[in-house]
Amino acid sequence: MTLEIDRIDHIVLNVADVQASAAWYARVLGMEREVFDSRTGPRVAVKFGRQKINLRPMGEDTVAWFTGANPVPGSDDLCFITAQPMRQVLDHFASVGVALEVGPVERTGALGAMQSVYCRDPDGNLVEVAVY
């Protein structure tokens, strides 16, 4: 028997400032901020589609989180897909003052060829927004 994975449910980002990160993902990527209860108290996430990103604060609050061996803000590389045309992505980034690191460039994603732009979130994570 082989295990079959359907989708990613959530990921956890290590962040220096939960509120700043939640605000950035809402403003720049249109995600919805969510506060939810866990066994160790309230936590913050940003949601989109059927997935979410839990925002793990670095510092004294980190003891309660079961996480990777080397949690550090800014060490992730994330790719998000949009159905909007690349021109709308570029116009939106310009309107919210987000500088592009690279792009638009051709890349290969899980479903084949796509056009991508790259920027950085408040912690320096590389954020790719792509259009198939």
Side-chain angles (χ1 to χ4, degrees), residues 36-85:
F36 64 100
D37 289 324
S38 73
R39 63 187 183 286
T40 58
R43 294 187 179 183
V44 176
V46 288
K47 295 175 67 172
F48 61 100
R50 294 172 32 186
Q51 293 83 39
K52 73 177 182 172
I53 300 172
N54 292 339
L55 302 174
R56 179 181 183 263
M58 297 306 300
E60 61 189 71
D61 299 298
T62 60
V63 176
W65 290 70
F66 185 65
T67 192
N70 299 301
V72 205
S75 63
D76 293 299
D77 183 343
L78 308 166
C79 179
F80 300 101
I81 303 301
T82 183
Q84 294 175 293

Side-chain angles (χ1 to χ4, degrees), residues 1-35:
M1 184 183 129
T2 302
L3 183 65
E4 294 181 23
I5 302 297
D6 176 55
R7 65 184 172 94
I8 293 174
D9 181 79
H10 71 278
I11 61 172
V12 177
L13 279 183
N14 298 301
V15 299
D17 183 328
V18 169
Q19 302 311 323
S21 292
W24 189 90
Y25 280 90
R27 179 177 60 87
V28 175
L29 300 181
M31 295 182 185
E32 176 186 343
R33 184 180 187 278
E34 173 191 60
V35 177

